[in-house]
Amino acid sequence: MAHLHPEAVVLGVRQFGPDTPARSQIGNRLTSALFRAASHQKLRDTQTGLRAFSIYMLPWLVDIAGERYEYEMNMLFACGRAHIPLVQTPVHAVYLDARNSTSHFCTVRDSVRIAKTFLKFSISSLTGFAADYLAFLILIRLTAALPYHVLISNVAARVLSAALNYQMNRMLVFEGRKKASETLLPYAALALGILVGNSILLMLFTNTLGIPAAAAKPLTEVLLFLISLSVQSLVIFRSKKGEGPHV
């Protein structure tokens, strides 16, 4: 299969069935869901160690950060950013016992490593949300006498938190993959789109559904979280075409 796709990374995808240990099935489903949410790519087995690739990819592969299972997940993300196809081919897996005792996978430690990018984005988003929510609660009291004070407070709080969130995502989550001059305007466009959607949802929840503003705000943020993650990962901070290996 690999010789038919020299430009791709070929993944040996395990076929999960009744004999597959529960922790293998649960762990793989979780990481596959996280990978799909962050990259919009559907892989049936993100934890497979059976991977084939061209020798010309080696210099690029050794520069990918991480160790063990973290490296395996980072490799998949890196392929997506560098526009390298991921080809899936089914393989038969043999487990010696129901607990898969020969596996070196540590459920807690390695799950955290695998989900590191998603976790870093979550931390960044939670920090931005905390700043946004705190500013919103303060401003909504200060502007209570003004018409549309909920909308005004939401816009001002979003502008403040967006600046903080941009810097954290650029340097912490996506590790400075692109210069600020390349990402600032696209991020500003995303922030504006999120702000419009955020404000519409917030006004719908408060004015139409009668949900208190303090409760409607976090509900709105949760609904827009994955949209923001996907756009930043796939578009704004995505590596330029041609930054991957030359096959």
Side-chain angles (χ1 to χ4, degrees):
M1 177 64 75
H3 73 279
L4 298 176
H5 302 277
E7 80 294 348
V9 170
V10 180
L11 305 175
V13 177
R14 294 167 292 174
Q15 305 302 291
F16 296 104
D19 297 331
T20 305
R23 74 169 183 167
S24 295
Q25 293 196 51
I26 294 172
N28 192 70
R29 287 174 181 172
L30 175 61
T31 55
S32 294
L34 291 176
F35 181 76
R36 185 175 184 180
S39 69
H40 279 196
Q41 294 187 80
K42 185 177 181 180
L43 294 181
R44 295 191 300 275
D45 186 3
T46 57
Q47 298 178 48
T48 177
L50 185 58
R51 305 179 182 198
F53 41 81
S54 167
I55 191 173
Y56 298 105
M57 292 187 183
L58 287 176
W60 175 74
L61 288 170
V62 298
D63 285 335
I64 298 174
E67 298 179 357
R68 294 167 55 88
Y69 296 99
E70 177 190 358
Y71 176 86
E72 291 184 353
M73 182 62 76
N74 287 347
M75 177 183 174
L76 299 179
F77 280 116
C79 287
R81 293 192 300 268
H83 307 274
I84 296 172
L86 296 172
V87 177
Q88 303 180 71
T89 184
V91 296
H92 179 65
V94 177
Y95 298 96
L96 298 182
D97 54 56
R99 296 180 60 190
N100 194 18
S101 57
T102 59
S103 173
H104 298 290
F105 184 82
C106 175
T107 305
V108 176
R109 180 191 63 203
D110 290 323
S111 292
V112 170
R113 284 176 170 172
I114 288 171
K116 189 175 180 181
T117 297
F118 191 86
L119 288 173
K120 286 193 295 184
F121 187 86
S122 298
I123 292 171
S124 172
S125 295
L126 285 173
T127 302
F129 169 72
D132 183 11
Y133 193 49
L134 179 61
F136 176 75
L137 292 178
I138 294 173
L139 290 169
I140 201 171
R141 288 182 176 273
L142 296 176
T143 61
L146 298 176
Y148 303 106
H149 72 287
V150 173
L151 180 60
I152 293 171
S153 300
N154 185 57
V155 171
R158 288 295 301 179
V159 170
L160 291 172
S161 66
L164 172 64
N165 191 246
Y166 169 73
Q167 285 298 334
M168 291 189 67
N169 285 349
R170 189 172 75 89
M171 301 309 300
L172 174 64
V173 182
F174 301 105
E175 300 173 350
R177 291 175 194 157
K178 291 183 178 180
K179 297 178 181 179
S181 58
E182 299 176 289
T183 57
L184 185 56
L185 286 179
Y187 183 88
L190 170 65
L192 179 60
I194 293 293
L195 174 59
V196 172
N198 186 289
S199 298
I200 291 174
L201 284 174
L202 188 61
M203 296 303 290
L204 173 65
F205 291 148
T206 55
N207 292 350
T208 305
L209 300 180
I211 300 175
K217 178 67 173 175
L219 177 60
T220 300
E221 298 296 336
V222 169
L223 292 175
L224 295 173
F225 170 79
L226 286 179
I227 295 176
S228 180
L229 169 60
S230 298
V231 173
Q232 290 185 58
S233 179
L234 296 174
V235 180
I236 298 176
F237 296 104
R238 184 172 186 167
S239 299
K240 295 179 181 177
K241 196 166 187 177
E243 287 185 354
H246 299 287
V247 180

